Amino acid sequence: MTEPGNQAVQTGGNASAPPDRTELRAKEQLLLEHIRQIATGDQAALGRLYDATNRLVFGLILRILNDTGAAEEVTLEVYMQVWRQAADYDIRRGTPSAWLLMMARSRAIDRFRAGDQERRRAEALDTVTARSTNDISPEEQASETERRRMVQTALAELPPEQRQVIELAYFGGLSHSEISEKLSQPLGTVKTRIRLAMNRLRDALKLLDE
Amino acid sequence: MNQTHFEELIELYALDLLDDTEKKQVEAYLVTSPTARAKLIELRETAAALAFSVTPVTPAPNVRDRLLQQVQQAGTSVQPQPRAPAPPEAQVVAFQRPAVQTSNPKPQTPGAIRWFALAASLAVVGLGGGLWLTWERVQTLQTQLTATQSQLLKETLELEKTKQKADWLASPEARNAALGGTPVSPAARAKLTFDPQTGQAVFTVQNLPPLPSGKAYQLWFIADGKPIPGLVFTIDKQGRLEFQENIPTQGRKASIFAVTLEPAGGSTAPTGDMVLKTPAL
């Protein structure tokens, strides 16, 4: 079982049904309830929010930092921030999961920029490129998994040069100027690629929110 | 700079890629454009959705304990304050607002009228303030009531879930698999109990070696000679973990289970050393 993983598990392509929107909405509603309860000082609600979201939050942070210890620290920081700022959360500015995940990404990138993890970043980016096309398993049935599949498919369907800038920006935490330097591409080209990619992803993922 | 220029920066703003100067310029533009604000919300949701492309990973169980401990220790010093919801007219805008003009010159009023106006204003402010406090109190009580009801419901559901779990763990249909260590992890042990009908499973591991940086463990179900990827997990300092997993349909047919060392995000096929396995393997 030590051979390289090039014989990826059979992928499901686009054959499976999209995530059930009603279920996604119900999940967001539940997260919203937790956040509102946290805002009243309910510590158990923080535990429930953590239980409902920790794998996603930790997975994202670990993906950016590629360091288990640091990822655990940042995960703790994120939920402590939720504890302090739950009363400021406003649903009109975005869904609960978007609020939480953007907070997690932002904290992970801050930690990443503060540390010297260049080598790990390179490794991580290699991994994401592979995952974006291969890590799709038809056996998994949960709606979260379906959502993951949809996002992975949307990313995989971007032209390679657009996917590359999005991955460098989103998971690598590079600014557009840094990406321009790293890829030896004019700044305007990088900006255009990011804009095109984001709008394309927005259109592809929109049906999740309609 | 013109409107088009700022509109072209919204995607970069949504990804937090702009420097402080550009960020402020975009924020000032957002205040003036409801369309741009709506677009930003969509782009933020898109950016957040990208996180769903990553394989979820379970952190070590002590992270939850540490979190609740920190919250308890922080006590009232950082405890969030109950806050009444923003009135509807507050709307979406939490971006920087332009400074409100408060220094408009006003015509001078004669003394008596001025006193009357002041008294009337105070009365209105007093009445308004009282109403506001009452409204705020009602909102707080409503929030607390909802929280209590919601908690009761959750606890009932959790109890029901625990009962169901105990039932299926004890049922004759439940399958058990004992996993032993390998030469690289001689002391490691694990037990997997699962319901072949629903895929519901409980996996308990102990004495796994500490994880190298950037690595995680991953569970595999081997059916018809093919490894099917399972949960990616990390362990506590004692090398232990217990978690619940939902085994995919194909994996439920498996009679062989294994755990390997993989990159932190997990793999689609095993790549690293095997640290736990069922005896048949």
Side-chain angles (χ1 to χ4, degrees):
Chain A
M1 291 194 37
T2 50
E3 72 224 46
N6 55 0
Q7 42 175 345
V9 175
Q10 175 76 44
T11 64
N14 297 321
S16 77
D20 183 335
R21 282 176 215 155
T22 317
E23 199 180 326
L24 289 183
R25 279 198 200 104
K27 280 186 181 170
E28 292 292 352
Q29 185 59 39
L30 195 60
L31 296 185
L32 178 63
E33 271 179 41
H34 295 333
I35 292 170
R36 285 189 175 149
Q37 289 159 8
I38 293 167
T40 67
D42 182 346
Q43 294 180 7
L46 183 67
R48 288 192 291 275
L49 180 79
Y50 178 88
D51 292 341
T53 55
N54 72 80
R55 295 179 64 219
L56 194 57
V57 167
F58 184 67
L60 172 64
I61 295 171
L62 188 61
R63 172 69 190 74
I64 292 169
L65 295 173
N66 208 21
D67 177 329
T68 309
E72 285 178 3
E73 291 303 319
V74 174
T75 301
L76 266 178
E77 286 171 19
V78 168
Y79 286 99
M80 282 305 288
Q81 191 175 344
V82 167
W83 174 248
R84 289 190 300 269
Q85 297 182 353
D88 295 332
Y89 170 69
D90 183 346
I91 195 165
R92 291 167 298 187
R93 294 173 63 195
T95 55
S97 62
W99 180 65
L100 180 65
L101 291 168
M102 290 308 276
M103 197 186 285
R105 175 181 170 260
S106 172
R107 283 224 162 229
I109 284 173
D110 286 349
R111 171 66 69 98
F112 184 83
R113 284 178 177 157
D116 175 22
Q117 303 185 44
E118 277 298 324
R119 185 183 57 79
R120 289 174 186 165
R121 169 156 62 196
E123 286 173 5
L125 290 171
D126 290 341
T127 313
V128 82
T129 308
R131 299 197 71 79
S132 63
T133 51
N134 290 334
D135 188 24
I136 301 171
S137 164
E139 292 84 7
E140 298 170 313
Q141 295 160 351
S143 64
E144 289 297 336
T145 309
E146 293 305 334
R147 186 190 261 202
R148 176 152 49 106
R149 182 203 302 268
M150 278 201 72
V151 179
Q152 286 176 337
T153 305
L155 268 170
E157 284 176 352
L158 287 177
E161 68 279 5
Q162 289 179 23
R163 188 167 66 236
Q164 184 183 36
V165 291
I166 287 293
E167 284 169 352
L168 286 169
Y170 193 78
F171 297 109
L174 299 189
S175 69
H176 49 303
S177 325
E178 287 167 331
I179 296 171
S180 152
E181 208 170 300
K182 188 179 173 78
L183 301 179
S184 310
Q185 292 286 337
L187 191 58
T189 307
V190 171
K191 281 184 182 178
T192 305
R193 284 178 186 172
I194 292 175
R195 289 187 53 231
L196 291 173
M198 282 300 285
N199 285 305
R200 203 161 165 164
L201 287 169
R202 179 184 62 160
D203 293 342
L205 300 174
K206 217 171 193 174
L207 65 145
L208 286 178
D209 309 313
E210 275 167 1
Chain B
M1 295 204 216
N2 58 27
Q3 181 180 333
T4 315
H5 171 75
F6 295 127
E7 275 172 4
E8 285 177 353
L9 291 178
I10 292 178
E11 288 84 0
L12 303 173
Y13 180 89
L15 285 171
D16 278 334
L17 298 181
L18 299 178
D19 63 34
D20 286 348
T21 316
E22 288 173 317
K23 214 184 275 185
K24 280 179 186 158
Q25 288 170 344
V26 174
E27 283 167 355
Y29 171 65
L30 286 166
V31 172
T32 66
S33 168
T35 319
R37 288 202 297 271
K39 185 177 177 189
L40 175 67
I41 290 171
E42 282 185 2
L43 288 167
R44 283 264 195 213
E45 292 292 323
T46 305
L50 294 181
F52 286 94
S53 68
V54 177
T55 306
V57 182
T58 306
N62 68 355
V63 176
R64 189 186 198 277
D65 301 338
R66 283 162 65 198
L67 170 69
L68 295 180
Q69 209 175 354
Q70 275 189 24
V71 165
Q72 219 146 29
Q73 277 168 1
T76 50
S77 61
V78 293
Q79 182 169 313
Q81 295 300 309
R83 172 186 288 208
E89 64 271 23
Q91 285 309 327
V92 179
V93 191
F95 314 111
Q96 288 191 344
R97 294 167 184 276
V100 177
Q101 292 294 324
T102 53
S103 57
N104 289 342
K106 288 183 180 165
Q108 292 293 313
T109 41
I113 297 175
R114 225 164 43 217
W115 277 111
F116 177 77
L118 178 62
S121 308
L122 284 174
V124 170
V125 167
L127 182 62
L131 282 174
W132 174 262
L133 286 173
T134 308
W135 181 77
E136 197 172 36
R137 179 79 187 131
V138 168
Q139 291 297 313
T140 307
L141 286 172
Q142 271 179 351
T143 309
Q144 283 167 354
L145 181 64
T146 310
T148 310
Q149 284 172 334
S150 183
Q151 192 159 349
L152 191 65
L153 180 66
K154 300 267 170 43
E155 277 164 13
T156 312
L157 287 173
E158 269 163 27
L159 257 176
E160 184 57 32
K161 259 163 70 182
T162 310
K163 188 177 167 303
Q164 279 175 2
K165 182 181 156 192
D167 285 350
W168 74 256
L169 275 175
S171 80
E173 285 78 32
R175 287 185 53 199
N176 287 296
L179 285 78
T182 66
V184 295
S185 56
R189 296 285 177 275
K191 187 183 170 195
L192 178 73
T193 304
F194 69 98
D195 181 337
Q197 290 300 314
T198 62
Q200 217 177 352
V202 176
F203 190 53
T204 316
V205 297
Q206 53 185 347
N207 301 331
L208 272 176
L211 279 164
S213 175
K215 296 283 185 183
Y217 288 120
Q218 188 166 10
L219 176 63
W220 300 92
F221 315 102
I222 297 151
D224 304 327
K226 281 185 189 166
I228 298 159
L231 198 78
V232 179
F233 62 94
T234 58
I235 46 170
D236 67 10
K237 283 186 182 145
Q238 282 74 45
R240 294 174 309 192
L241 177 69
E242 176 178 324
F243 61 83
Q244 291 188 43
E245 162 79 304
N246 200 27
I247 302 181
T249 317
Q250 274 201 353
R252 293 174 208 165
K253 293 188 295 185
S255 53
I256 303 172
F257 305 92
V259 171
T260 59
L261 187 65
E262 298 296 332
S267 303
T268 52
T271 63
D273 285 342
M274 198 189 305
V275 289
L276 278 167
K277 63 184 176 65
T278 45
L281 194 60

